[in-house]
Amino acid sequence: MSFTARAVVAALLLASTMVACGSDDKGDIEAFCMLAREGVGMHPAEDDADLARLTALEDAAPPDIRPAVTTVANASREVDEIENLRELFRRAFALEEAVAEARDEIRDYTQQRCSP
């Protein structure tokens, strides 16, 4: 199982556990802000290290921004798994608008909630 597949499985297990336990997960705003200020999620993931940082951003994201972070992270994971070049371009193009909107939302959230 690739690193990406393991990360997706781990994230799904974590999410299902939190829902099952009725968790009051508030995220970690300090960790989120640190990663967001470093630009995590603002550019396509290029390697497993970038994907790991995206997963860390997703894990740290407060609930009100987590859907946008998950959109960006899932798009990177999905594109990372595609080996056929034609399919890669097709999926990247299809995801472009949703990812751009999610990145704008993350950028706005970071500007409003993360002190400089």
Side-chain angles (χ1 to χ4, degrees):
M1 185 181 293
S2 72
F3 170 79
T4 304
R6 283 187 299 235
V8 170
V9 170
L12 290 173
L13 287 173
L14 176 63
S16 65
T17 301
M18 290 186 324
V19 169
C21 296
S23 174
D24 288 329
D25 178 29
K26 292 179 176 45
D28 182 342
I29 189 71
E30 290 179 27
F32 172 83
C33 289
M34 181 188 72
L35 291 164
R37 277 191 228 108
E38 292 175 4
V40 174
M42 293 297 113
H43 307 286
E46 295 182 9
D47 54 28
D48 285 347
D50 286 348
L51 289 170
R53 290 167 49 91
L54 265 173
T55 299
L57 182 71
E58 189 175 24
D59 291 345
D64 50 340
I65 193 62
R66 191 169 294 141
V69 177
T70 298
T71 295
V72 171
N74 285 345
S76 290
R77 290 178 191 118
E78 182 177 332
V79 168
D80 183 58
E81 292 294 320
I82 298 171
E83 294 182 15
N84 177 291
L85 189 58
R86 181 174 285 165
E87 179 64 14
L88 175 65
F89 283 118
R90 187 186 74 71
R91 288 301 302 148
F93 184 74
L95 293 169
E96 183 178 6
E97 186 175 336
V99 171
E101 289 174 9
R103 285 185 176 139
D104 287 344
E105 189 176 338
I106 294 167
R107 191 176 296 110
D108 291 346
Y109 185 92
T110 302
Q111 289 173 350
Q112 294 172 6
R113 304 274 174 90
C114 300
S115 57

